[in-house]
Amino acid sequence: MESRIGRMCIERGLKMTGQRRVIARVLSEAQDHPDVEELYRRAAQLDSRISVATVYRTVRLLEEKGILERRDFGGGRARYEATEEGDHYHLIDVETGKVIEFEDKEHAELIRRIARDLGFDLVSHRLELFARRRPADAGKDTAATPPARTGGRSKR
Amino acid sequence: MESRIGRMCIERGLKMTGQRRVIARVLSEAQDHPDVEELYRRAAQLDSRISVATVYRTVRLLEEKGILERRDFGGGRARYEATEEGDHYHLIDVETGKVIEFEDKEHAELIRRIARDLGFDLVSHRLELFARRRPADAGKDTAATPPARTGGRSKR
DNA sequence: TTATATGCAAACAGTTTGCATGGGT
DNA sequence: ACCCATGCAAACTGTTTGCATATAA
């Protein structure tokens, strides 16, 4: 009955108001990286007694609690996703705006080493790739197109 | 007499007004990554007949012309630097806010490969490292501290 | 019951823009 | 002379906040 993120809120002793429960549910069910306005739209659909201000406040609270992560994919508005195990990165399709997630151990190690070489300990980082879907290679006729799936997570 | 960036403006046929010349000079002389307000401050010091609006307009124009690059190091304001040969990245000292530039061929190749593996051609990307200066390793007593110099460019 | 969360609208920060004027070419 | 650039202030966008009210614990 309580959404995954709703449960996390309770674990951390947050007061569970009606609007928080709704927002938590929307976040739990989101398969994408919605911005505040989109969250508000989805939440208001479930319970109209909700204001954008509350969404902003909730989203900030959950970020402070480590439940949510804020992203900036350009376009001016912050976008949110539930915190998950292990770093992952985002590739943004410049044509469609679609976001594809991927993991990359090699990259994680590389940047840690770079920071270290410069005399620093890495605290956090930001990586976004902006790319264009490669036109189906003229060379391979019937070859299967690699299935880069939005929302799924590609391991490397 | 004309600053480096001023010359680039002329090459691209931009009308050289007094304020553009001043802004171009400020940009040419900047060793850091100033935001608009800072650019405005420096420009106004050379010629008070300048407004923030003009700085915003100029900075946007120069970005469109490929003369400038806009950066986002967090903190809400866009920061600018002259376009230079070859990609480079930024490490932001979380204590001081200082920005250290570095190059890394390996990283450049890695992300290109990642995009390709996902079925994309890399268009652009964003990488920022946030890090904390490593406390002088307790192990090495008199050893020289590695010279990670702000402003300089570390090659790897 | 009591502290905290909410709605509303006003405040904010960074940036853009409409319009009349000024200035390069 | 012509068109573009500028200044000014008002507009805009995303986000935060003060205050009176509502609500979970």
Side-chain angles (χ1 to χ4, degrees):
Chain A
M1 186 56 249
E2 191 71 59
S3 67
R4 192 179 77 82
I5 289 184
R7 268 178 267 126
M8 300 182 72
C9 291
I10 293 169
E11 276 171 29
R12 307 192 194 204
L14 297 181
K15 193 191 278 192
M16 283 314 280
T17 67
Q19 17 293 72
R20 281 195 188 159
R21 210 179 316 268
V22 169
I23 295 170
R25 182 169 147 205
V26 167
L27 286 166
S28 298
E29 291 173 357
Q31 297 292 323
D32 49 352
H33 306 73
D35 58 31
V36 167
E37 202 166 305
E38 180 60 25
L39 288 173
Y40 171 60
R41 203 173 298 128
R42 297 180 193 175
Q45 218 155 301
L46 300 180
D47 181 345
S48 59
R49 302 170 311 167
I50 236 173
S51 76
V52 238
T54 296
V55 179
Y56 273 107
R57 282 192 270 235
T58 302
V59 123
R60 180 143 58 106
L61 177 69
L62 298 200
E63 195 198 350
E64 280 162 8
K65 295 294 183 186
I67 296 173
L68 273 193
E69 287 181 0
R70 187 202 326 230
R71 304 285 179 189
D72 169 22
F73 297 155
R77 5 192 7 130
R79 302 175 60 174
Y80 293 87
E81 68 179 321
T83 300
E84 286 174 50
E85 295 284 321
D87 284 350
H88 66 272
Y89 306 102
H90 300 91
L91 180 152
I92 295 98
D93 184 326
V94 293
E95 309 283 0
T96 67
K98 277 221 165 54
V99 177
I100 286 146
E101 302 188 341
F102 64 92
E103 292 178 2
D104 196 288
K105 282 236 167 192
E106 199 178 333
H107 183 269
E109 275 164 34
L110 178 58
I111 59 178
R112 194 164 300 124
R113 198 171 74 230
I114 290 173
R116 172 158 285 271
D117 288 355
L118 291 171
F120 285 79
D121 284 325
L122 194 59
V123 171
S124 66
H125 64 281
R126 205 153 69 183
L127 171 71
E128 271 96 41
L129 307 187
F130 298 88
R132 180 172 293 117
R133 178 152 262 133
R134 176 144 26 82
D137 307 38
K140 330 163 150 187
D141 300 321
T142 47
T145 307
R149 193 153 239 68
T150 309
R153 188 88 67 78
S154 305
K155 290 199 177 108
R156 290 174 37 98
Chain B
M1 188 54 252
E2 191 70 60
S3 66
R4 191 179 76 83
I5 289 183
R7 267 177 267 127
M8 300 183 72
C9 291
I10 293 170
E11 276 172 30
R12 306 192 193 202
L14 297 181
K15 193 192 276 193
M16 283 313 280
T17 67
Q19 17 295 67
R20 281 194 188 160
R21 210 179 316 269
V22 170
I23 295 170
R25 184 170 147 205
V26 167
L27 286 167
S28 298
E29 290 172 358
Q31 298 293 320
D32 48 354
H33 306 74
D35 57 32
V36 166
E37 201 166 306
E38 179 61 25
L39 288 173
Y40 171 61
R41 202 174 298 127
R42 296 181 194 175
Q45 217 155 302
L46 300 179
D47 181 345
S48 58
R49 301 170 311 168
I50 237 172
S51 76
V52 237
T54 296
V55 179
Y56 273 107
R57 282 193 268 235
T58 303
V59 124
R60 180 144 58 109
L61 177 68
L62 298 200
E63 195 198 350
E64 281 162 7
K65 295 294 183 187
I67 296 173
L68 274 193
E69 286 180 2
R70 188 204 323 234
R71 304 286 177 188
D72 169 23
F73 297 154
R77 28 233 294 161
R79 302 176 59 174
Y80 293 88
E81 68 179 321
T83 300
E84 286 173 49
E85 295 283 322
D87 284 351
H88 67 273
Y89 307 102
H90 300 91
L91 180 152
I92 295 98
D93 184 326
V94 293
E95 308 284 1
T96 67
K98 277 221 165 54
V99 177
I100 287 146
E101 301 188 341
F102 63 92
E103 291 177 5
D104 195 289
K105 282 237 168 191
E106 199 179 332
H107 184 270
E109 275 165 33
L110 178 58
I111 58 179
R112 194 163 301 125
R113 197 171 76 229
I114 291 174
R116 170 157 289 270
D117 288 354
L118 292 172
F120 286 79
D121 285 325
L122 194 60
V123 171
S124 67
H125 64 280
R126 204 153 70 184
L127 171 71
E128 271 97 42
L129 307 186
F130 298 88
R132 180 173 293 116
R133 177 152 262 132
R134 176 143 25 83
D137 308 39
K140 327 163 153 186
D141 300 321
T142 46
T145 306
R149 195 153 238 68
T150 309
R153 188 88 66 80
S154 305
K155 290 196 178 112
R156 289 173 36 98

